[in-house]
Amino acid sequence: MHSAVVVEEGRNPLPQSSPPAIPYREISEDGEIIPLSSSNEQGGAKPSSTDPTQRLVSLDVFRGLTVALMILVDDAGGAFPSINHSPWFGVTLADFVMPFFLVSVGFSIGLVFKVCLQFSFLDTIWNLDIKLRGNKLKRKGKIRHCTTQNANRKKSNKCIATKKVILRTMKLFLLGLVLQGGYFHGRNHLTYGVDVDRIRWLGVLQRISIGYFLAAISEIWLVIDIIVDSVVAFVNKYYMQWLVAILLCSLYMGLLYGLYVPSWDFEAQSMNSTLSMPIYGSGSQIVNCGVRGSLEPPCNAVGMVDRILLGEKHLYQHPVYRRTKECSVNSPDYGPLPSNSPVWCLAPFDPEGILSSLMASVTCFVGLHYAHIVVHCKSHKRRIFLWSMFSLPLLVSGFVMKELGIPFSKQLYTLSYMCITSGASGILLSVIYYIVDVNHFRKPTILLQWMGMNALIVYVLAACELFPAAIQGFYWRSPEKNLVNGTEALMQTIFRSKKWGTLAFVLLEILFWCLVAGYLRMKGIYVKL
């Protein structure tokens, strides 16, 4: 999770790049660009809101809001099913969390690799200077040597950056495998461990790692090294990235609607199964399909690809479609199976599967585009205008696709769902940017800013329930009598309602993690991979 920078405001039309005021800069692990110290600098003038070395505070707030939403919908979704993930088709508040994460990842990538773009710009200026002095240098035989040296340096920097991207991708994937592979069982389960034969290979962090890898590699190798001084130059610089995004969309749509899904069987798991003790029925259940282009839970190509490549045992065993009317008498909440429920209600399905993760990666490319606007546009108004002009068509396109028969589905990560969530993220980011970075109205968002600056550790400890599970390990006489459950029960007693008491407890939990993140910031501690 990276941070960002704000580029100096000016009056030049978009897109416009200018040589950095300080030729060489360092970049911190979170993406903040820091100028090298100079003996000519006079002590510590505070940078303005548009100083190139300053963090883009709105991105921290946006990321913190995303983590807070994840805690809210995960822990309060049971009490308020309307904000929980949609059982299959449709969009709820919870369904915006993953795209917001992916947009912030792509945005951060575009700003972190801005340093590489600055070096490329300087190299271009250097080459122009060589051409202007060409006759003189040619007599000395130095032109070829200089240009070759610059090319080798840029290639070397790209190779180093690629190695770092691969390493970070592996770290994210392995962390996700440990957290969501089934080893930790979460709240109310004072156990741990997973059968390797049934480990879940994919999850939230694994999906983020895939999107991060594709977006970062494209930013390193597919950006054309030209000076951006017009809209045409802006398009020429980044058009190859959009070709990759279009290719990913085309591949996804072609496989989703083109693959033939035959009938398949699975080993049914009991509704009473838990992560620590899975209970399987006797014999296999057969799901009758034999169709092409279906988007329904039992017979879609997304699930088929995961069953073939990952194996049915390695998929998520408690899919959200168990909250549909066909599978729950308490729909849209979980509940007992109806008497005439279909057999696929007990079948596994991974909402972070392979095919859907390819489409999810396109959301990272949208975040890249938002970052490129920041890099090349110096005016606050133009940034907001261009973000809005890009986000609104995405939003409208999503609704048009829905009317044309491509429904919203987070589980499948349909093209219409990608468009409306990416568009909504751009609009929300524009609003936050206007409030926080333009008008400097930051006090009301300071808690979210702290959380966004340490989003990874908060996600691991809170959203993955490592911290509450550890606290529950200390109890009084019975496992149910612990600090976490006791605090939640106290809130329910105070509000005289289980639903509203749970909401109050979750809001208190979010406030707690904001303060923890603030303490870490005060100590200068930032946990990163």
Side-chain angles (χ1 to χ4, degrees):
M1 303 293 178
H2 301 289
S3 295
V5 291
V6 180
V7 183
E8 186 178 2
E9 184 177 7
R11 295 182 177 272
N12 296 326
L14 177 87
Q16 172 118 9
S17 290
S18 59
I22 301 171
Y24 297 98
R25 302 174 186 267
E26 294 178 343
I27 184 166
S28 66
E29 287 297 320
D30 61 347
E32 184 177 6
I33 297 177
I34 306 171
L36 294 178
S37 58
S38 171
S39 58
N40 297 328
E41 292 178 356
Q42 301 298 326
K46 185 177 180 180
S48 65
S49 63
T50 56
D51 191 293
T53 66
Q54 192 175 0
R55 297 178 70 100
L56 191 64
V57 178
S58 53
L59 183 58
D60 286 327
V61 174
F62 180 78
R63 194 163 43 225
L65 177 62
T66 303
V67 176
L69 283 178
M70 174 171 281
I71 297 173
L72 176 67
V73 299
D74 284 352
D75 293 352
F80 296 88
S82 59
I83 68 171
N84 206 346
H85 290 291
S86 176
W88 193 252
F89 294 129
V91 177
T92 64
L93 180 62
D95 296 320
F96 286 92
V97 173
M98 172 60 75
F100 285 1
F101 262 124
L102 294 172
V103 166
S104 65
V105 169
F107 201 119
S108 300
I109 291 170
L111 293 173
V112 166
F113 286 103
K114 178 193 172 191
V115 175
C116 295
L117 297 178
Q118 288 178 336
F119 276 119
S120 297
F121 179 84
L122 291 172
D123 290 337
T124 304
I125 297 299
W126 171 240
N127 289 333
L128 288 174
D129 184 60
I130 289 174
K131 290 180 181 178
L132 291 175
R133 296 183 290 117
N135 293 332
K136 181 179 179 180
L137 288 174
K138 189 176 294 184
R139 288 195 298 269
K140 296 180 179 179
K142 292 184 179 180
I143 282 186
R144 183 173 299 176
H145 170 72
C146 292
T147 55
T148 302
Q149 188 179 43
N150 289 336
N152 290 337
R153 185 178 67 179
K154 284 184 282 186
K155 184 176 180 181
S156 175
N157 289 341
K158 289 183 177 182
C159 291
I160 293 172
T162 301
K163 291 178 182 178
K164 291 182 177 180
V165 166
I166 293 174
L167 181 60
R168 191 162 193 263
T169 299
M170 294 173 61
K171 289 179 180 179
L172 275 172
F173 193 95
L174 291 175
L175 179 61
L177 191 63
V178 171
L179 294 176
Q180 296 184 308
Y183 184 82
F184 295 102
H185 302 157
R187 284 184 57 183
N188 304 318
H189 299 286
L190 300 182
T191 58
Y192 61 90
V194 61
D195 182 356
V196 178
D197 187 48
R198 298 184 181 276
I199 193 171
R200 182 188 174 198
W201 293 119
L202 296 177
V204 172
L205 287 180
Q206 294 95 313
R207 168 169 285 182
I208 291 176
S209 71
I210 294 171
Y212 168 79
F213 176 78
L214 294 175
I217 292 298
S218 74
E219 187 73 1
I220 295 171
W221 294 101
L222 300 184
V223 174
I224 308 301
D225 188 17
I226 61 175
I227 299 175
V228 176
D229 55 3
S230 67
V231 174
V232 174
F234 182 84
V235 173
N236 288 337
K237 188 176 185 70
Y238 298 112
Y239 80 93
M240 291 187 66
Q241 289 184 333
W242 285 109
L243 290 180
V244 172
I246 293 171
L247 178 63
L248 290 173
C249 290
S250 302
L251 177 63
Y252 169 86
M253 294 294 286
L255 294 177
L256 180 66
Y257 287 99
L259 286 179
Y260 175 79
V261 182
S263 299
W264 54 283
D265 61 89
F266 68 98
E267 187 179 1
Q269 193 178 93
S270 170
M271 294 288 286
N272 297 322
S273 295
T274 64
L275 288 172
S276 57
M277 187 176 293
I279 303 172
Y280 296 90
S282 57
S284 298
Q285 301 290 334
I286 297 177
V287 179
N288 296 313
C289 291
V291 296
R292 193 188 308 271
S294 173
L295 302 184
E296 297 296 330
C299 300
N300 59 79
V302 173
M304 184 189 72
V305 170
D306 290 337
R307 291 191 295 271
I308 292 175
L309 298 182
L310 300 178
E312 170 249 315
K313 295 180 181 179
H314 299 286
L315 304 182
Y316 187 52
Q317 300 296 320
H318 302 275
V320 71
Y321 59 62
R322 290 190 181 181
R323 293 169 42 228
T324 59
K325 293 180 180 179
E326 295 89 342
C327 301
S328 173
V329 296
N330 297 331
S331 181
D333 199 1
Y334 290 103
L337 288 171
S339 57
N340 59 343
S341 62
V343 295
W344 53 261
C345 287
L346 297 177
F349 179 85
D350 209 308
E352 282 83 37
I354 297 173
L355 192 55
S356 57
S357 291
L358 291 181
M359 176 58 81
S361 300
V362 178
T363 307
C364 286
F365 283 82
V366 174
L368 269 179
H369 180 71
Y370 292 149
H372 294 157
I373 291 175
V374 170
V375 170
H376 295 289
C377 181
K378 298 180 180 182
S379 167
H380 288 315
K381 291 182 179 179
R382 272 193 203 93
R383 288 175 183 173
I384 295 174
F385 173 77
L386 291 169
W387 281 342
S388 302
M389 288 302 98
F390 184 72
S391 302
L392 287 174
L394 277 177
L395 202 61
V396 172
S397 298
F399 284 103
V400 171
M401 290 179 196
K402 179 179 180 295
E403 295 301 319
L404 294 178
I406 304 177
F408 303 143
S409 176
K410 187 263 181 185
Q411 313 306 316
L412 299 176
Y413 219 102
T414 55
L415 182 58
S416 59
Y417 168 78
M418 188 278 295
C419 286
I420 66 157
T421 53
S422 298
S425 67
I427 293 173
L428 178 60
L429 187 59
S430 300
V431 172
I432 296 175
Y433 179 80
Y434 179 76
I435 294 173
V436 174
D437 284 311
V438 178
N439 291 330
H440 302 281
F441 193 60
R442 297 179 179 178
K443 288 184 178 180
T445 61
I446 189 67
L447 295 178
L448 295 177
Q449 180 187 346
W450 292 344
M451 184 178 283
M453 295 174 74
N454 251 311
L456 180 61
I457 188 63
V458 175
Y459 170 79
V460 169
L461 294 179
C464 294
E465 298 187 330
L466 291 192
F467 182 77
I471 295 297
Q472 284 184 321
F474 298 93
Y475 55 85
W476 177 256
R477 295 184 178 178
S478 66
E480 294 78 17
K481 296 179 180 179
N482 58 72
L483 182 61
V484 177
N485 290 348
T487 305
E488 185 172 3
L490 177 62
M491 292 293 103
Q492 292 171 352
T493 302
I494 293 174
F495 285 87
R496 298 182 180 180
S497 168
K498 184 175 181 180
K499 177 189 293 188
W500 295 106
T502 298
L503 178 61
F505 170 74
V506 174
L507 294 177
L508 187 64
E509 180 185 4
I510 293 173
L511 176 61
F512 169 78
W513 286 112
C514 287
L515 295 177
V516 169
Y519 176 79
L520 293 176
R521 179 185 180 278
M522 183 178 66
K523 295 295 184 180
I525 300 173
Y526 300 98
V527 180
K528 306 179 187 304
L529 289 180

